[in-house]
Amino acid sequence: MAKSKVLVVGGTGYIGKRIVKASLAQGHITYVLQRREMGLDIDKIQMLLSFKKQGARLIQGSFSDHQSLVDAVKQVDVVICTMSGVHFRSHNILLQLKLVDAIKEAGNIKRFIPSEFGTDPSRMGHALEPGRVTFDEKMRVRRAIEDAKIPFTYVTANCFAGYFAANLSQMETLLPPRDKVTIYGDGNVKVVYMDEDDIASYTIKTIDDPRTLNKTLNIRPPENILSQRELVEKWEKLIGKELQKISLSQEDFLASMKGLDFASQGKRVKKLQSSIQM
């Protein structure tokens, strides 16, 4: 069976660039949306050119030009959107509603994978604001997809290793500590840590698999399910040293957000809720 042609929207982003790489590696004809809104962002332009050298095809389109999105969608079988939904980077989840409209009008797409990849929003009804904003918006996109009867796959993978593993799941750093570590709550709640390249590879594998049609794929290999304390223990073994452990209760954590701007609050709450969602 011929492999599906893929359009990646948000291909220069954190997960998007990995999706492009995985799609090419698995032999799919891969298009990347080149948005006019990039303007003078030379890093993104150079990344797009590097994709082109690797065999990807660039196709112009804009969320302010509905017909350009329809024209782009008509050239492929599968659309994968990887637009950011975190407030401390960029927050564009609801722009996908325009993509949903374009896919509905084009009428040819056999699979749409919206921007999910992290925690399953359908399980986050208990989430606190402002962290729940992203979850609510993702659910709004899901409803639009299903109302439009667009074939879909939702991919959830919980905690990105780049943000949650190397820093031992601490806030405000992406690097591991050498002396002390903050433990949230009792540190014994299990969470799923996923390598971002693995997320991309599994995502691409779903697009021609009939078992994932109109389903949610939860990526959670057993060996990747660890508590924060277990993660800390692994690091301690690697460095041959026991870290000083500082406990932070949920109440103290929430109190520490007072006075922070919306983006910083969202970052903290989403991180806490991701760590307790299992």
Side-chain angles (χ1 to χ4, degrees):
M1 184 176 65
K3 289 181 176 289
S4 294
K5 293 181 289 185
V6 178
L7 170 65
V8 182
V9 180
T12 60
Y14 185 68
I15 290 295
K17 61 188 177 185
R18 293 171 169 84
I19 294 286
V20 173
K21 178 181 176 181
S23 181
L24 290 170
Q26 294 181 38
H28 294 273
I29 295 175
T30 304
Y31 292 80
V32 183
L33 190 69
Q34 179 180 332
R35 296 169 58 194
R36 291 196 293 269
E37 292 85 351
M38 287 182 181
L40 299 176
D41 193 331
I42 193 167
D43 290 332
K44 289 185 176 182
I45 296 297
Q46 290 181 339
M47 190 180 299
L48 286 174
L49 293 176
S50 74
F51 290 155
K52 189 174 182 180
K53 288 181 180 179
Q54 296 169 48
R57 305 178 184 186
L58 306 184
I59 182 168
Q60 292 191 356
S62 171
F63 280 91
S64 61
D65 182 349
H66 172 73
Q67 190 58 48
S68 72
L69 293 180
V70 174
D71 293 342
V73 166
K74 284 183 176 180
Q75 298 189 47
V76 299
D77 308 301
V78 173
V79 176
I80 303 175
C81 187
T82 62
M83 301 183 75
S84 175
V86 290
H87 293 281
F88 58 91
R89 290 172 67 90
S90 58
H91 191 85
N92 298 310
I93 291 297
L94 290 184
L95 273 181
Q96 291 181 103
L97 295 175
K98 295 185 177 182
L99 190 56
V100 169
D101 289 340
I103 292 171
K104 182 179 179 180
E105 180 173 330
N108 63 301
I109 293 302
K110 71 175 191 180
R111 195 77 62 96
F112 177 40
I113 301 179
S115 185
E116 298 253 354
F117 310 110
T119 303
D120 187 343
S122 69
R123 300 178 61 191
M124 297 304 292
H126 63 287
L128 302 176
E129 291 187 352
R132 72 168 299 152
V133 170
T134 296
F135 301 126
D136 288 346
E137 291 183 350
K138 287 183 176 181
M139 289 305 298
R140 183 175 168 186
V141 173
R142 283 191 181 192
R143 287 192 293 271
I145 292 168
E146 293 169 27
D147 288 346
K149 301 187 184 310
I150 295 170
F152 65 85
T153 298
Y154 304 138
V155 178
T156 68
N158 298 287
C159 297
F160 293 170
Y163 280 99
F164 290 92
N167 60 359
L168 307 185
S169 293
Q170 294 184 106
M171 306 295 172
E172 299 174 352
T173 180
L174 295 176
L175 300 174
R178 288 282 177 175
D179 300 305
K180 58 185 178 181
V181 60
T182 299
I183 301 294
Y184 298 95
D186 63 11
N188 292 319
V189 176
K190 301 279 189 175
V191 300
V192 184
Y193 298 94
M194 282 300 304
D195 179 87
E196 291 85 341
D197 289 330
D198 288 344
I199 296 171
S201 294
Y202 285 122
T203 297
I204 296 301
K205 288 181 182 297
T206 70
I207 63 179
D208 287 322
D209 190 334
R211 296 172 298 177
T212 59
L213 179 62
N214 295 336
K215 297 290 195 331
T216 297
L217 174 68
N218 294 295
I219 308 174
R220 45 187 301 166
E223 61 271 23
N224 288 36
I225 301 175
L226 302 167
S227 69
Q228 187 188 13
R229 287 190 180 274
E230 288 173 328
L231 188 64
V232 170
E233 288 173 4
K234 287 181 178 293
W235 175 242
E236 288 175 330
K237 287 180 180 179
L238 284 173
I239 64 174
K241 177 183 178 180
E242 185 174 348
L243 300 176
Q244 177 189 355
K245 298 172 182 66
I246 302 170
S247 295
L248 182 65
S249 69
Q250 179 172 312
E251 293 74 20
D252 288 341
F253 173 84
L254 294 174
S256 73
M257 293 199 305
K258 291 182 178 179
L260 295 179
D261 59 42
F262 188 81
S264 298
Q265 288 183 11
K267 178 180 178 181
R268 283 173 173 251
V269 172
K270 280 192 69 181
K271 201 159 194 177
L272 175 66
Q273 289 168 162
S274 295
S275 71
I276 63 176
Q277 63 88 31
M278 292 188 64

